[in-house]
Amino acid sequence: MAEQQSTAFPEGFLWGGAIAANQVEGAFTDGGKGLSIQDVMPHGIQTPPTVGPTADNLKQEGIDFYHRYAEDIALFAEMGFTVFRFSIAWSRIFPNGDETEPNEEGLAFYDRVLDELEKYGIEPMVTMSHYETPLHLAREYGGWRNRKLVGFFERYARTILQRYAGRVRYWLTFNEINSILHEPFLSGGIEARPEEIGDQVLYQAIHHEMVASALATRIAHEIDPDNRVGCMILAVPRYPLTPDPRDVRRAQWETQRDLIFADIHTRGEYPHSALRYFRDNGITIDFADGDAQLLREHTVDFVSFSYYMSACATADPEKQNPGEGNIIGGVPNPLLPRSEWGWQIDPLGLRIIMNTFWDRWNKPLFIVENGLGAKDVLIDAPDGGRTVADDYRITYLNDHLYQVGEAIRDGVEVWGYTTWGPIDLVSAATAQMSKRYGFIYVDRGDDGGGTLERYKKASFDWYADVIATNGASLRGDTPK
Ligand code: BG6
């Protein structure tokens, strides 16, 4: 294995981790918080939503970040984080989503989080909407299928942009916005499967989110021209399952279907691939007056994305396969290993997708999620405490980060990297605690038991070293 002696990462590259409110905070009704769609998803995307909250929802307590944020941020600082991505729970600020005045207690909570980050000089990055639509907006208005959500979101976005002006510079509008194609409830508060509502409703809802995102971008830039707003997409590179041109075309279309979202965010208009799809499928997007101009004039400053895996595409109906566990699906690649949850591990795919994105949009990139969900075993540590020997996580992250360095050497501009779940949290797709991503172990089980104590895993010191050396400690080899 060829060793890398110098770092590819530019000075000032931002290193850190990412979480979402609903997966960590708990305190689901404290401080005047309203319910969000997560409160009726006790088993993630695996079963249909329940009527109301149920006692078996691990997110009700999460990892108690609501009360332990100071302790957790101190640990992130100890690793040397220079950026920390978190989401604001919309229903802490507007409990039902349609109020005219925000909930001061909710706003004050995030002030306290920002105080801690400032104490350590950690740059905050805020996701405005991370699978957390207020439940009332989903149940009373039909979620993002209803244009009224644009106005509610605009008010929410303006409120937090004004409140945290000068304190938060990096903003993301909608988490993994393309996931709405597969999970309309999780991603868009629309309580139905995609096939039940059909493409007309789905793409109109997407248009509403696009308009809302452009409005938030406009407001962010009006409030502070130094604000940097990014879109956020779920990146799953699609490889043709075989060299059959029909598989290649299928992979190309599945890629285009996901990239439409960032195309609109970066270019300000729908791409040709979307227009053809709309024509062929009788879809007519209702543009309100001013929508086209808004999209055109308020494009994003950067493109952020999550990357966990790649997948294959095939034109052969016999070989179609929804994939295992992940939101977006895809045909498994026969050449790649998989995680315990069936997610295929493909570090080189990250370099490939980064080149694709940079070539396509020429906007700076930010990797805002990447990591390995795995079962960890807590063992005794030499210092008398407890730890996890998570060499598998170190290997996964090392190999992916090495490819980020390679993409930078290819000429791709990248602002930063945040691992998903630097501290164990409740999984989005399966609502399990046992699917752990963290450098920090949280003592809580799938049955909700445990002390919530935090323990450093072996990967904690490893990541601290990566950050301290600005990536020079990464090891890998480069395929020609
Ligand atoms: C992304 C989400 O889909 O992947 C996160 O933005 C999520 O919220 C992460 O937690 C990992 O997925 P999971 O299902 O393993 O939690």
Side-chain angles (χ1 to χ4, degrees), residues 16-18 85 305-309 346-347 350 367-373 396-401 404 417-422 437 439:
R85 171 183 175 228
F305 63 96
S306 61
Y307 177 80
Y308 295 91
M309 59 187 291
D346 179 16
L350 180 50
I367 302 136
V368 294
E369 287 185 31
N370 175 233
L372 177 70
Y396 179 101
L397 292 171
N398 173 82
D399 295 354
H400 282 76
L401 272 168
V404 175
Y417 172 92
T418 55
T419 63
W420 177 248
Y437 287 86
F439 304 114

Side-chain angles (χ1 to χ4, degrees), residues 346-367:
D346 179 16
L348 190 54
L350 180 50
R351 177 180 173 193
I352 293 169
I353 201 82
M354 289 173 74
N355 273 276
T356 305
F357 288 178
W358 177 247
D359 289 347
R360 191 175 176 103
W361 303 308
N362 230 257
K363 294 262 186 191
L365 304 182
F366 211 123
I367 302 136

Side-chain angles (χ1 to χ4, degrees), residues 162-454:
Q162 275 171 345
R163 173 73 168 226
Y164 308 120
R167 305 190 79 185
V168 177
R169 200 158 88 94
Y170 294 94
W171 296 90
L172 307 181
T173 51
F174 293 93
N175 181 64
E176 294 184 337
I177 188 163
N178 49 322
S179 64
I180 193 172
L181 292 173
H182 311 270
E183 292 299 328
F185 189 57
L186 179 77
S187 190
I190 303 169
E191 205 162 351
R193 300 303 310 159
E195 54 283 6
E196 288 163 359
I197 47 176
D199 273 351
Q200 175 64 47
V201 170
L202 207 48
Y203 280 94
Q204 187 64 49
I206 290 165
H207 181 71
H208 295 153
E209 289 194 339
M210 287 296 165
V211 169
S213 184
L215 275 168
T217 306
R218 182 177 80 189
I219 298 165
H221 289 148
E222 279 167 2
I223 288 178
D224 184 348
D226 280 343
N227 275 333
R228 295 287 170 263
V229 185
C231 56
M232 198 306 201
I233 55 172
L234 199 178
V236 179
R238 303 282 168 162
Y239 306 140
L241 187 62
T242 73
D244 181 333
R246 285 168 299 187
D247 282 0
V248 177
R249 169 58 197 154
R250 180 71 202 178
Q252 182 179 48
W253 161 244
E254 289 186 12
T255 303
Q256 286 171 327
R257 191 181 54 187
D258 278 325
L259 300 192
I260 285 170
F261 295 78
D263 284 343
I264 302 169
H265 271 111
T266 55
R267 300 170 176 160
E269 58 184 19
Y270 282 73
H272 64 88
S273 54
L275 301 180
R276 165 84 200 251
Y277 185 74
F278 294 166
R279 264 199 316 275
D280 286 358
N281 292 281
I283 300 165
T284 312
I285 304 294
D286 185 11
F287 271 62
D289 280 352
D291 280 4
Q293 190 183 356
L294 187 78
L295 294 180
R296 206 169 44 245
E297 292 180 356
H298 301 285
T299 54
V300 291
D301 303 303
F302 66 101
V303 173
S304 81
F305 63 96
S306 61
Y307 177 80
Y308 295 91
M309 59 187 291
S310 59
C312 290
T314 174
D316 182 348
E318 306 269 289
K319 294 195 190 130
Q320 294 291 350
N321 177 323
E324 223 184 304
N326 70 88
I327 290 174
I328 212 165
V331 179
N333 187 325
L335 302 177
L336 292 175
R338 43 177 54 205
S339 78
E340 288 164 294
W341 273 263
W343 293 22
Q344 292 203 291
I345 300 172
D346 179 16
L348 190 54
L350 180 50
R351 177 180 173 193
I352 293 169
I353 201 82
M354 289 173 74
N355 273 276
T356 305
F357 288 178
W358 177 247
D359 289 347
R360 191 175 176 103
W361 303 308
N362 230 257
K363 294 262 186 191
L365 304 182
F366 211 123
I367 302 136
V368 294
E369 287 185 31
N370 175 233
L372 177 70
K375 289 185 184 133
D376 287 340
V377 180
L378 202 55
I379 55 170
D380 291 333
D383 65 1
R386 314 210 72 192
T387 189
V388 175
D390 58 343
D391 45 304
Y392 38 90
R393 182 167 294 109
I394 292 174
T395 302
Y396 179 101
L397 292 171
N398 173 82
D399 295 354
H400 282 76
L401 272 168
Y402 186 82
Q403 296 302 333
V404 175
E406 288 300 277
I408 293 171
R409 288 194 173 91
D410 292 335
V412 178
E413 186 180 343
V414 194
W415 283 352
Y417 172 92
T418 55
T419 63
W420 177 248
I423 183 165
D424 294 344
L425 39 68
V426 185
S427 137
T430 64
Q432 291 168 299
M433 242 344 273
S434 54
K435 191 178 187 190
R436 297 173 182 276
Y437 287 86
F439 304 114
I440 301 162
Y441 184 93
V442 177
D443 182 18
R444 191 169 191 228
D446 286 342
D447 61 359
T451 61
L452 289 171
E453 278 301 297
R454 277 62 169 147

Side-chain angles (χ1 to χ4, degrees), residues 21-22 25-36 38-40 52-54 57-62 64 66-67 89 91-93 95-96 103 105-106 109-110 135:
N22 72 87
E25 285 180 3
F28 80 116
T29 53
D30 289 14
K33 183 181 171 296
L35 298 178
S36 86
Q38 292 292 340
D39 295 309
V40 295
T54 54
N57 192 337
L58 289 184
K59 290 176 183 161
Q60 291 177 6
E61 191 178 7
D64 196 30
Y66 189 72
H67 297 107
S91 64
R92 271 197 200 286
I93 312 303
N96 281 325
N103 170 34
E105 257 191 280
F109 168 65
Y110 296 105
L135 186 60

